């Protein structure tokens, strides 16, 4: 009988510990996390921190310390420093390939320590974005729609109440993403943000003479030029594959063949093509166009309508 009583007491004690531990789960923070489900969550990380210091490793350590079961993936940590537009382009290019419930952690933050907001944004696609409110999310919202946004002000979501004025990636954004991955309800992170900062990206313009656009980036490490001219708009100019096109690059004339892929021209020769994201690009086959031509973003590109005289 004494043995049975001791065994019963042990079971009761174990039950108290178990349910007491359950009482300290993210349910107290609001258990409706990303996707409203449990299980392994994915955090996709992007910064302009580079790889020559410990900043990325520190942020990942913070995430693992809070959400050890989260799956952590990278977009890049080589965004050109301070270039919000470039980071926004990368983010918009990657997000369609991830499912609802994915958490994107993006820290390109030249305004760190100022009055700019740190936010969690949920899109109508059901993806979550933890980032500075500096326009970085603009292209994604324009495409996928905004569900809601919250400013991160609740110190429970931060690494500690006192935060650095220069490393919000460690102190605010990484822990907030990790808490999301643990299932915390993002509506408890802070107040609703009624209006997010929006970028005003440059767009190409079409006229009866042709299309004028900008060089907005490089396809590194190859040095191919990325323009903001949509491939569908270019095709309206009347050119066919194999045609040689007299373009103006930074107002300097250049004649390039319009081809489908790099090996359609000899090694070292230039080409104009529609890149994998549907934009007009300029490249050299197996050479670095930017280095050879000593050009870097931003620049201008004009493509005349077929048969039209190129503007002077």
């Amino acid at each position: 009988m004494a043995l049975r009583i001791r065994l019963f007491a042990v079971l009761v004690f174990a039950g108290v510990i178990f349910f007491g531990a359950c009482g300290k789960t993210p349910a107290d923070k609001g258990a409706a996390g990303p996707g409203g489900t449990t299980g392994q969550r994915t955090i996709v990380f992007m910064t302009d921190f580079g790889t020559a210091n410990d900043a990325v490793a520190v942020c990942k350590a913070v995430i693992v310390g809070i959400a050890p079961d989260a799956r952590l993936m990278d977009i890049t940590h080589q965004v050109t420093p301070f270039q919000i537009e470039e980071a926004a382009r990368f983010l918009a290019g990657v997000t369609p390939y991830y499912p609802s419930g994915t958490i994107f952690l993006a820290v390109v933050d030249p305004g760190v320590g100022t009055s700019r907001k740190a936010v969690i944004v949920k899109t109508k696609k059901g993806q979550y974005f933890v980032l500075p409110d500096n326009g970085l999310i603009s292209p994604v919202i324009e495409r996928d729609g905004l569900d809601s946004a919250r400013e991160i002000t609740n110190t429970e979501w931060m690494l500690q109440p006192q935060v650095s004025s220069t490393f919000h990636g460690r102190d605010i954004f990484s822990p907030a993403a990790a808490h999301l991955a643990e299932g915390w309800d993002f509506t408890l992170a802070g107040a609703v943000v009624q209006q997010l900062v929006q970028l005003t990206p440059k767009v190409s313009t079409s006229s009866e003479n042709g299309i004028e656009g900008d060089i907005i980036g490089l396809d590194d490490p190859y040095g191919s030029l990325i323009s903001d001219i949509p491939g569908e708009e270019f095709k309206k100019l009347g050119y066919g594959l194999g045609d040689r096109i007299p373009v103006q690059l930074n107002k300097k004339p250049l004649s390039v063949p319009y081809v489908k892929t790099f090996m359609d021209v000899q090694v070292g020769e230039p080409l104009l093509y529609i890149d994998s994201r549907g934009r007009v690009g300029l490249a050299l086959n197996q050479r670095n166009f930017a280095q050879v031509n000593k050009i870097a973003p931003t620049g201008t590109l004009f493509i005349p309508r077929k048969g039209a005289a190129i503007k002077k």
Side-chain angles (χ1 to χ4, degrees), residues 240-244 256-274 283-286:
L241 287 170
D243 286 347
R244 200 160 191 92
V256 290
Y258 167 40
V259 295
K260 188 175 181 180
T261 192
F262 306 103
M263 289 300 288
D264 288 338
V265 301
Q266 295 295 315
V267 171
E269 291 297 309
L271 60 135
L272 183 149
Y273 66 110
I274 308 302
L284 291 177
N285 183 19
Q286 298 183 43

Side-chain angles (χ1 to χ4, degrees), residues 4 27 41 43 49 57 59 70 73 80 88 94 109 111 116 136 143 152 156 188 192-193 195 217 223 268 293-294 311:
R4 290 181 180 177
R41 307 191 197 283
I43 298 174
F49 294 165
C59 290
M73 304 180 73
T80 302
V94 167
D109 193 17
R116 71 94 185 91
L136 181 52
R143 182 191 62 217
I152 307 169
E156 292 283 336
L188 301 181
V192 172
V193 178
Q195 181 65 53
N293 291 280
K294 295 180 174 58
K311 67 178 187 176

Side-chain angles (χ1 to χ4, degrees), residues 2-271:
L3 180 59
R4 290 181 180 177
I5 292 173
R6 286 197 296 271
L7 179 58
F8 178 76
V10 169
L11 291 173
V12 169
F13 180 69
V16 168
I17 292 176
F18 174 78
F19 287 108
C22 288
K24 295 181 181 179
T25 67
D28 284 342
K29 312 300 180 183
T37 60
T38 59
Q40 187 183 56
R41 307 191 197 283
T42 300
I43 298 174
V44 184
F45 193 19
M46 177 180 72
T47 73
D48 61 351
F49 294 165
T51 56
N53 58 62
D54 61 354
V56 171
V58 167
C59 290
K60 289 184 175 182
V62 169
I63 293 168
V64 170
I66 296 169
D69 295 327
R71 179 171 56 182
L72 188 55
M73 304 180 73
D74 298 295
I75 297 176
T76 180
H77 299 289
Q78 300 294 142
V79 174
T80 302
F82 321 120
Q83 293 303 308
I84 298 168
E85 292 83 358
E86 180 181 283
R89 176 165 53 85
F90 290 159
L91 192 61
V94 167
T95 52
Y97 301 98
Y98 284 92
S100 173
T102 302
I103 301 160
F104 293 91
L105 170 59
V107 190
V108 177
D109 193 17
V112 61
T114 67
S115 60
R116 71 94 185 91
K117 296 179 177 68
V119 295
I120 299 174
V121 178
K122 182 182 179 183
T123 66
K124 290 185 177 178
K125 185 178 177 181
Q127 295 176 331
Y128 293 79
F129 297 81
V130 183
L131 35 64
D133 182 23
N134 58 12
L136 181 52
I137 190 68
S138 293
V140 171
I141 294 299
E142 183 177 348
R143 182 191 62 217
D144 298 340
L146 173 65
D147 179 275
S148 57
R150 297 276 174 161
E151 183 176 4
I152 307 169
T153 56
N154 184 345
T155 56
E156 292 283 336
W157 286 70
M158 302 177 191
L159 187 61
Q160 56 188 9
Q162 293 76 35
V163 301
S164 164
S165 60
T166 58
F167 199 0
H168 288 187
R170 175 195 66 192
D171 295 345
I172 300 176
F173 297 116
S174 292
H179 288 313
L180 274 178
E182 281 293 279
W184 289 25
D185 181 353
F186 88 110
T187 65
L188 301 181
V192 172
V193 178
Q194 299 291 350
Q195 181 65 53
L196 294 168
V197 172
Q198 294 184 331
L199 293 178
T200 53
K202 293 181 178 180
V203 294
S204 62
T205 56
S206 298
S207 68
E208 61 181 12
N209 295 320
I211 296 180
E212 190 160 4
D214 288 284
I215 302 303
I216 60 173
L218 298 180
D219 186 9
D220 277 336
Y222 308 107
S224 304
L225 305 189
I226 301 169
S227 81
D228 62 358
I229 298 176
E232 292 304 313
E233 289 300 310
F234 163 76
K235 291 175 182 177
K236 295 177 183 177
L237 299 179
Y239 296 102
L241 287 170
D243 286 347
R244 200 160 191 92
I245 304 177
V247 305
Q248 280 191 340
L249 181 59
N250 283 346
K251 298 185 177 181
K252 296 180 180 179
L254 178 69
S255 178
V256 290
Y258 167 40
V259 295
K260 188 175 181 180
T261 192
F262 306 103
M263 289 300 288
D264 288 338
V265 301
Q266 295 295 315
V267 171
E269 291 297 309
L271 60 135

